[in-house]
Amino acid sequence: MGWGDLGVFGEPSKETPNLDQMASEGMLFPNFYTANPLCSPSRAALLTGRLPIRNGFYTTNAHARNAYTPQEIVGGIPGSELLLPELLKKAGYVSKIIGKWHLGHRPQFHPLKHGFDEWFGSPNCHFGPYDNKATPNIPVYRDREMIGRYYEDFKIDLKTGEANLTQIYLQEALEFISRQQASHQPFFLYWAIDATHAPVYASKQFLGTSQRGLYGDAVREIDDSVGKILKSLQNLGISENTFVFFTSDNGAALISAPKQGGSNGRFLCGKQTTFEGGMREPAIAWWPGHIPAGHVSHQLGNVMDLFTTSLSLAGLQPPSDRQIDGIDLSPAILQGKLIDRPIFYYRGNEMMAVRLELYKAHYWTWSNSWEQFSQGIDFCPGQNISGVTTHTQEEHTKLPLLFHLGRDPGEKYPISFSSSEYQEVMEQISPKVQLHKETMVPGEPQLNVCDKAVMNWAPPGCEKLGKCLEPPKSDPKKCFWPH
């Protein structure tokens, strides 16, 4: 979902009344980022408070490649990583994930092995349908066991775009919240729905209701669901005890545009890239009675901060035995303070760019290869900027491309290398980058090895359903990551 998809950020159709109201009752963050321009690494970063290069959600198979967790991936979230729900247990929290996990699908990587008490959803996105011979259909889990597969038991009509998944996920959320309130139990709910990921879907009542087509229908259903969740918190009398944060895992996927792609507003490019459109996210904090209504914070934020902030609000300290990249945003959220910090933009194993205050320096640029571009794969449709949206990997480590995002949010006009502004700003940025690189200790890369034998052939619970499939012979290979 893109920065430009919400009415409060200027989307012309104004079809997100509940999220817009959430912003008017809470705090809007126009300068909020993900930790990676792709789904799996950004989710790993959110739940560990650590950059993907540290928690292992990257590849070293090629330079600066985006990698995630398709069905054939061998790796997943390492057992050595401490996830937010594991740590919240110390304060008595019950945790549930609803929707997409995407941190590995083999048994050792399941959410209930990493601190979650409940799970309703899937280890992967809703790709398919598959033939269950070359590729199995992706399972849907309730807690430890699968209860069916996408397209077989959980229908998604690719012709009409109809699917009831968001409504199912909504009811799961409302039931969990109600149950925890009744038992006076503190809870953490990670509501990770994926309706705006292609293939885009919406339930029948929302199909055809948006001026923006099927993608807009999906956004409207998400918006309506968020409104119902917030209303439920109010009706149960626990809204003033519940911190809620809405954001996305990466920018809108412009490769799916125009029919199934969202909007990144004025920002350059989209998902898969380290330009603003790929990594700047819509973000809203809501906590009646604590967060002043109708405020806008220009704090630089990141999904990793939700890890540290959540621990802080629960009265816990982050782990001291590892580098935590997320900061505690509670002073910004509750007191309106601004905390000085850089934002690092990674693509795989490479730091591509860094933002400090209103300036962004690109140390590498790459949208995608000429080969992929010639095949119609375009992450920056209609946005060709000479020397910036490059189709070969261009190194700028000696003279980074520098932009002022206040007056040039679209990254169109690099600041002149010879200007005093360039010299002064780089004198501020360069030491921070040097320190970051000198102290970086990468984790063991989890996204290097693929093997069709580890796909979702026979997940736990398949025996009861008669849905176990015979896996092929193991044949581990290096994963191929084109971007």
Side-chain angles (χ1 to χ4, degrees), residues 5 14 25 45 91 344 398 472 480:
D5 280 329
K14 299 281 187 186
E25 294 173 358
F344 294 103
K398 289 190 168 59
F480 173 65

Side-chain angles (χ1 to χ4, degrees), residues 216-284:
D217 296 341
V219 170
R220 288 199 67 233
E221 184 166 18
I222 290 170
D223 175 78
D224 182 77
S225 299
V226 172
K228 288 187 166 108
I229 289 170
L230 298 184
K231 183 60 69 177
S232 170
L233 294 171
Q234 291 170 325
N235 290 342
L236 291 169
I238 56 173
S239 60
E240 294 197 1
N241 294 332
T242 311
F243 173 70
V244 185
F245 202 95
F246 176 89
T247 190
S248 173
D249 61 349
N250 45 248
L254 301 186
I255 189 175
S256 307
K259 289 191 175 179
Q260 297 208 356
S263 167
N264 295 315
R266 299 177 64 192
F267 302 123
L268 184 60
C269 300
K271 178 179 177 175
Q272 299 267 11
T273 78
T274 49
F275 299 110
E276 290 298 286
M279 292 189 61
R280 202 188 292 210
E281 308 306 326
I284 305 167

Side-chain angles (χ1 to χ4, degrees), residues 33-37 41-42 45 50-52 249 279 302-304 344 346:
Y33 290 86
T34 183
N36 189 273
S42 66
R50 286 153 56 81
L51 283 163
D249 61 349
M279 292 189 61
N302 194 291
V303 292
M304 297 181 291
F344 294 103
Y346 269 85

Side-chain angles (χ1 to χ4, degrees), residues 14 19 21 27 90 105 127 179 222 246 251 253 383 419 441-442 449 478 480:
K14 299 281 187 186
L19 286 163
Q21 183 175 340
M27 183 173 281
K90 296 175 184 176
H105 59 270
F127 297 127
R179 185 158 35 93
I222 290 170
F246 176 89
Q383 292 183 303
S419 68
V441 180
V449 182
K478 266 188 167 186
F480 173 65

Side-chain angles (χ1 to χ4, degrees), residues 167-377:
Q167 291 303 308
I168 295 170
Y169 293 149
L170 170 62
Q171 292 310 312
E172 284 287 325
L174 297 176
E175 186 276 333
F176 175 73
I177 292 168
S178 179
R179 185 158 35 93
Q180 302 316 309
Q181 185 271 339
S183 61
H184 305 286
Q185 180 75 46
F187 65 88
F188 165 51
L189 172 61
Y190 176 34
W191 197 64
I193 40 84
D194 68 349
T196 52
H197 190 300
V200 175
Y201 63 80
S203 61
K204 191 169 187 178
Q205 69 196 86
F206 288 93
L207 285 179
T209 63
S210 169
Q211 299 174 56
R212 306 178 65 202
L214 180 57
Y215 183 89
D217 296 341
V219 170
R220 288 199 67 233
E221 184 166 18
I222 290 170
D223 175 78
D224 182 77
S225 299
V226 172
K228 288 187 166 108
I229 289 170
L230 298 184
K231 183 60 69 177
S232 170
L233 294 171
Q234 291 170 325
N235 290 342
L236 291 169
I238 56 173
S239 60
E240 294 197 1
N241 294 332
T242 311
F243 173 70
V244 185
F245 202 95
F246 176 89
T247 190
S248 173
D249 61 349
N250 45 248
L254 301 186
I255 189 175
S256 307
K259 289 191 175 179
Q260 297 208 356
S263 167
N264 295 315
R266 299 177 64 192
F267 302 123
L268 184 60
C269 300
K271 178 179 177 175
Q272 299 267 11
T273 78
T274 49
F275 299 110
E276 290 298 286
M279 292 189 61
R280 202 188 292 210
E281 308 306 326
I284 305 167
W286 185 88
W287 191 7
H290 299 269
I291 296 175
H295 280 223
V296 175
S297 173
H298 293 287
Q299 172 67 46
L300 295 189
N302 194 291
V303 292
M304 297 181 291
D305 303 339
L306 298 178
F307 173 90
T308 314
T309 306
S310 298
L311 291 176
S312 173
L313 295 177
L316 299 170
Q317 294 293 321
S320 58
D321 64 342
R322 63 199 64 206
Q323 178 68 44
I324 301 295
D325 296 291
I327 67 169
D328 180 5
L329 288 180
S330 53
I333 294 170
L334 301 176
Q335 299 157 31
K337 294 183 177 178
L338 289 178
I339 305 158
D340 184 39
R341 63 91 66 89
I343 295 288
F344 294 103
Y345 302 69
Y346 269 85
R347 184 164 172 161
N349 56 357
E350 185 60 72
M351 192 208 79
M352 303 287 285
V354 63
R355 177 175 173 183
L356 190 64
E357 297 177 351
L358 286 166
Y359 290 95
K360 181 179 180 182
H362 289 267
Y363 287 73
W364 288 85
T365 52
W366 190 37
S367 50
N368 64 327
S369 68
W370 280 116
E371 181 187 9
Q372 296 278 309
F373 184 68
S374 66
Q375 294 170 4
I377 297 171

